Amino acid sequence: MTGPKVSVVVPAYNSGPHMEKLIDSLLRQSLPPEQFEAVFVDDGSTDGTGARLDELAAAHPHLRVVHIDNSGWPSRPRNIGVAHARGEYVFFADDDDWFGAEALERLYAYAAEHDADIVIGKMAGYGRSVPRELFRKNRPDATLANAPLIDSLTSHKLFRRSFLNEHEIRFPEGRRRLEDHAMVVRALLLSKRTCVLADYVCYHHIRRQDAGNLTAGRLEPVGYFTNLREVLDIVDAHLEPGPLRDRLHRRWLRNEITSRLRGKRLLEAPEDWAAAVAAECGRVIRDRFAPGVAAGLPALQRAITALTAQDRLSDLRRLAEWEAGIQVRARLDRYRAKRGTLTLAVTAMLESGDQPLTLDVAGDRRRLVLPVDGVDPEMLDVTGQLAGARVDVVVGRKGGGEEFFLPVERSTEELPVPGAGPGGVRLVHHATAQLDLATLNSGRTEGTWLLKARVSENGWTMDKRLPLTLHYAADGAVPVLRKAPSGPRARLHRAVRRLLGR
């Protein structure tokens, strides 16, 4: 092979100091410099970004810069970056994000091993959501039918460059929303092999506190949902009507519509703007989504879809006020450390205010109880989704970002709700989890790790921190609690020290 293995394409505009973390991560890559390049495309910056990039390129031959007139959006710089790229694969990065030290080496090796057109590396989010379920495990042959790929539509992926060129896959240019979706969903539909690398955090994705990201501003409703319809057109051009198309459409109904019209997100939005968004959402639901799209959503989102399609904004607000009070109640039942493994048992449930989340029992059917009238009872039926209601135990690095699901054994029981009548029950979830103390994050354990109970139930996924913290020593070889805590945590500390012979 001639040329680098990987080209990292980075659009940059007035990046300032926010770019330095990305630069540092590129200079620390385990992949040798002669095997990758970074192509920074300076989109007409007016601060010192252009000069900083020129300085960088002069000092590091594998880091290059292209200067263009300002386009005002990331799409054209990304496309120009692909035109200048020489790598076998291309990765699109943002100027304020950063890579794990082994990211490019691991991504390329995984792509080469499986002859992949696309590799999606595990992401860590800081003020941003990332597709948690997608990264539950490595997936060497992921498809839109067998994996939740549709939940990952940002451009931060590894693409075979010849694949992009063969199909003329590029970002739509101009100031438009969902440009990532338009490019990525077409690529996923055309890819012969897509892989998910989930056992190493490759990419750290941040939402800056100053909202400095180019596309971070509040959406303009008509334009935004026009762009959403264009993305749906791409799906429809590749798939016939049916269950798979419905499942893909469901991603936009869930993430771009119902998520905007629920809980605190709706309540905290300016009223006039929220009304305009709800009106556009109602039009999209009526015009574009087959009945099977909403039917596959959890009951709460089905109810929101119905209320939105009927332009019942006041009921949406009433439902949002109720949902804003929902939280997880979790209890750590027991824990022990033995033979290098920490075992813990938890119990968790959802509640609204001080009341459990209630299901109404009618024979063998279960329906979610909501504080609004006039919703078809069939839309509130959760019977078929009870098997997916559960609690997971997650370990995450303090400060956010890296997190991993622990192996668990689970059970769920129905218990009566006091005062809810003979038909009112709540779901109570139990899990026993195990953590290999030495191999967390493939042994890259230095620092502080928090344990959380994560409840997934009827459309909610919510976390509650557990009263355990793991501190790992700087040598990276053996986990150690740095200081003895008091109370129940002291027992865990002593157990870990006995385990390690200290």
Side-chain angles (χ1 to χ4, degrees), residues 180-199:
D180 277 15
H181 293 203
M183 183 273 193
V184 172
V185 76
R186 183 163 174 257
L188 291 173
L189 287 160
L190 291 170
S191 172
K192 292 180 180 177
R193 183 180 289 269
T194 299
C195 300
V196 178
L197 180 62
D199 59 3

Side-chain angles (χ1 to χ4, degrees), residues 14-126:
N14 287 357
S15 308
H18 301 289
M19 185 171 56
E20 296 304 319
K21 203 161 189 176
L22 172 65
I23 293 170
D24 289 344
S25 74
L26 288 169
L27 296 178
R28 291 197 310 269
Q29 286 300 297
S30 61
L31 191 65
E34 63 272 16
Q35 295 184 20
F36 81 95
E37 65 176 1
V39 181
F40 289 86
V41 182
D42 174 28
D43 193 27
S45 295
T46 57
D47 63 355
T49 296
R52 172 68 177 119
L53 291 173
D54 288 336
E55 176 187 78
L56 190 69
H60 304 281
H62 65 301
L63 307 184
R64 299 191 288 134
V65 59
V66 179
H67 298 280
I68 65 172
D69 292 336
N70 180 251
S71 68
W73 218 246
S75 294
R76 180 164 172 74
R78 287 173 178 156
N79 290 341
I80 289 175
V82 174
H84 283 80
R86 300 172 299 184
E88 182 182 356
Y89 284 86
V90 174
F91 192 105
F92 297 99
D94 288 341
D95 59 355
D96 47 4
D97 296 335
W98 66 96
F99 289 96
E102 301 172 23
L104 298 183
E105 181 180 12
R106 287 173 175 263
L107 286 166
Y108 179 82
Y110 205 57
E113 178 185 359
H114 298 290
D115 192 27
D117 288 328
I118 304 171
V119 179
I120 306 172
K122 183 179 179 72
M123 300 172 68
Y126 304 83

Side-chain angles (χ1 to χ4, degrees), residues 184-408:
V184 172
V185 76
R186 183 163 174 257
L188 291 173
L189 287 160
L190 291 170
S191 172
K192 292 180 180 177
R193 183 180 289 269
T194 299
C195 300
V196 178
L197 180 62
D199 59 3
Y200 179 80
V201 178
C202 297
Y203 192 77
H204 297 261
H205 192 29
I206 189 169
R207 183 183 298 279
R208 283 169 26 198
Q209 292 184 354
D210 64 357
N213 308 67
L214 284 174
T215 57
R218 178 172 290 131
L219 65 86
E220 188 280 308
V222 173
Y224 186 91
F225 289 100
T226 296
N227 295 153
L228 187 150
R229 291 168 187 260
E230 292 166 353
V231 176
L232 297 177
D233 289 341
I234 295 171
V235 175
D236 295 353
H238 289 81
L239 295 175
E240 295 295 326
L244 180 56
R245 184 198 277 192
D246 286 351
R247 188 200 302 179
L248 301 192
H249 279 197
R250 195 172 299 135
R251 184 260 174 235
W252 287 280
L253 176 56
R254 182 183 65 242
N255 289 47
E256 310 303 329
I257 292 180
T258 64
S259 69
R260 299 181 186 279
L261 300 174
R262 59 184 289 193
K264 293 180 181 179
R265 192 170 182 184
L266 175 61
L267 297 176
E268 293 173 357
E271 289 192 14
D272 291 347
W273 179 79
V277 169
E280 289 298 322
C281 289
R283 294 186 186 98
V284 174
I285 291 169
R286 294 189 292 268
D287 295 347
R288 295 303 302 264
F289 294 131
V293 179
L297 290 173
L300 174 72
Q301 286 94 323
R302 291 199 298 267
I304 292 172
T305 300
L307 295 174
T308 304
Q310 298 166 20
D311 295 324
R312 292 169 58 182
L313 182 57
S314 60
D315 283 332
L316 285 171
R317 291 192 180 280
R318 188 175 302 113
L319 187 59
E321 290 169 354
W322 170 80
E323 188 188 5
I326 292 178
Q327 59 186 352
V328 178
R329 181 193 299 172
R331 181 182 71 229
L332 179 63
D333 296 321
R334 62 185 182 276
Y335 48 85
R336 67 188 179 105
K338 184 178 181 181
R339 296 178 183 173
T341 300
L342 172 65
T343 303
L344 61 154
V346 301
T347 297
M349 60 178 288
L350 293 182
E351 60 184 12
S352 179
D354 58 355
Q355 295 297 315
L357 199 66
T358 303
L359 305 181
D360 181 61
V361 177
D364 62 349
R365 314 305 294 176
R366 304 291 186 271
R367 294 190 176 93
L368 182 64
V369 177
L370 296 180
V372 293
D373 298 322
V375 177
D376 183 348
E378 292 305 309
M379 288 190 176
L380 304 180
D381 194 312
V382 300
T383 310
Q385 297 174 330
L386 291 182
R390 64 187 186 273
V391 60
D392 282 296
V393 180
V394 179
V395 58
R397 191 183 292 279
K398 185 177 181 180
E402 299 166 271
E403 66 173 32
F404 299 89
F405 289 92
L406 300 186
V408 297

